[in-house]
Amino acid sequence: MSDNNTNPEMRSNFIHDIIDEELASGKRTTVATRFPPEPNGYLHIGHAKSICLNFGTALKYGGTCNLRYDDTNPVKEDTEYVDAIEEDVKWLGFQWDKRLWASDYFDQMYEAALELIRKGKAFVCNLSPEEIKEYRGTLTEPGKNSPYRDRSVEENLKLFQDMKDGKYKDGEAVLRAKIDMASPNINMRDPVIYRVSHTPHHNTGDKWCIYPMYDFAHPIEDAIEGITHSICTLEFEDHRPLYDWVLREVGFWPNPPRQIEFARLNITDMLMSKRYLKRMVDEGYVDGWDDPRMPTIAGIRRRGYTPEAIRNFCEEIGVAKANSTVDAAQLEAAVRDDLQNKVPARNVVTDPIKVIITNYPEGRKEMVTVENNRNVPEMGERQVPFGRELWIDGDDFMEVPVKKYFRLFPGNEVRFKGAYFIKCNEVVKNDDGTIKELHCTYDPETAGGGVNANRKVKGTIHFVEADSAVKIRIREYGHMMKTDEDGNMEFNEDSVRETWGYAEPSVAEAQPGERFQFFRKGYYIADSKLTTDDEKVFNSIVSLKSSWKK
Ligand code: ATP
Ligand code: MG
């Protein structure tokens, strides 16, 4: 069922406790779940949690998980969204058993509605939408019966046929379940189960002008597919009595599915709604659904997050029964944890300062050896060029050092990683007072980063040889949204900063989607859209240090 799912078995949670009980008591013998997105946008990290839970549960119990498009709202087909959803589920490491469309069940849903009418459990209502709302009552007051509630079965069958035949305009008639207008649960106050809509449907065209409502359609979809556990988010808890009512009254299924609710994922500074994310795209705040700032799966993929990190994160936050908000730093920590043992380092400097090694012969160059990943010796070593002219990072030099500054400053000696001990003798300035270059000397006895040196240095810095340096573009990302004191989110105008830097020559070969640690800076990925053979554009994935405390 899974391509590359390297997750350990899912940790248990309250849903698995329910399943364990049912399997032990013999109430059920199989587990079948589904992931049911509405194809009206790209999936986001909240959906990733639902995907990990539904597919992970099926994997754990040797069951099945369907991908079912919840397309009961008539809209034009957007194959872009459908394709994106499938790419995202696969990228997360899961493979569905069946790919299904809720609209394929319209005939059965219609039959189920007829069954309810015949049993006297549904009626056609001609109250206007406003009147229906008015009659519904409030949390503290019961509702009022619709004047159309006592229509005969024959009349209801005929009027429902009229609805189906297009004799009503949108909003002129609905089919309602006949339950209880005095129920303390507003969802049970004669809910609308079918409405008229003359919008063509991408799958069924204009075959139907009546469409089932979610609360009526969803249990039927689940039952038809033999879903055992219909996992959904907490907002649907109050709808569960209606879910069960539909299955009981329609009664086609001996062992009906069970709805179980869990807390939806919220993350600080993250918009978690396709509708709002679509606005960010449509109104041009970001550069598409896969903008690296977007919390969409397409966005975080382009940003450089890994599917393993997302799965580990979903596992770590667990499955709760109460809503809460997770700190974005915890997601970032999961990404860092995953990358730190996978990704090779490269030397890259920004705000570069030129260094001239005045005692190093002109025209000479040599290769020095550095490790690819400090944590993983098996990742081996690579060679980087060293010569008379080098670039160092702007952060690695201070003309007037602050206390405890161990990097380069006038009169100080540091290790150039993998190369030599190097001492700064002179700061050469431009006319405007800015630094032109640093004149330094190297100690030939300290080759290999001073392995055989007779003295110690406190600082180690990296460098890029000037002649072979590759200029790269770097995009540093912050959170797309920021949250003010009142908890309102707004677009963070400072969410991307473009800079540039010099990189060691191997970076010229970076392929779109390739990840590196820029030594001592952070993790970066060659942007999959902007990187070409001639120009390398990198996205910051995550910094090296965490602000997240476990
Ligand atoms: P949106 O408001 O973003 O459109 P939705 O819940 O309407 O979200 P659907 O396409 O209907 O999106 O969702 C498919 C599945 O993903 C549902 O089972 C839903 O409960 C789940 N899901 C959506 N958002 C989250 C979230 N933040 N955390 C956990 N599960 C989620
Ligand atoms: Mg939705």
Side-chain angles (χ1 to χ4, degrees), residues 456-476:
K456 287 189 172 156
V457 288
K458 278 194 166 157
T460 299
I461 67 175
H462 65 289
F463 59 90
V464 172
E465 194 271 324
D467 201 36
S468 56
V470 178
K471 197 170 175 183
I472 60 171
R473 283 166 61 194
I474 301 173
R475 306 181 128 211
E476 299 284 351

Side-chain angles (χ1 to χ4, degrees), residues 436-454:
K436 177 168 181 257
E437 57 196 30
L438 306 176
H439 286 182
C440 301
T441 45
Y442 84 116
D443 176 356
E445 302 300 316
T446 58
V451 273
N452 298 316
N454 58 6

Side-chain angles (χ1 to χ4, degrees), residues 36-40 47 70 73 214 236 264 273-275:
E38 188 178 345
N40 61 349
H47 293 108
D70 183 356
N73 278 327
Y214 179 91
F236 291 97
R264 68 192 293 124
S273 153
K274 278 179 266 161
R275 199 155 53 91

Side-chain angles (χ1 to χ4, degrees), residues 30-71:
T30 54
V31 172
T33 59
R34 86 286 173 261
F35 172 64
E38 188 178 345
N40 61 349
Y42 279 54
L43 300 180
H44 50 65
I45 174 104
H47 293 108
K49 177 165 183 184
S50 175
I51 291 170
C52 289
L53 179 55
N54 279 296
F55 284 91
T57 298
L59 277 169
K60 174 169 172 174
Y61 291 96
T64 56
C65 183
N66 292 341
L67 171 62
R68 180 206 307 146
Y69 292 108
D70 183 356
D71 62 343

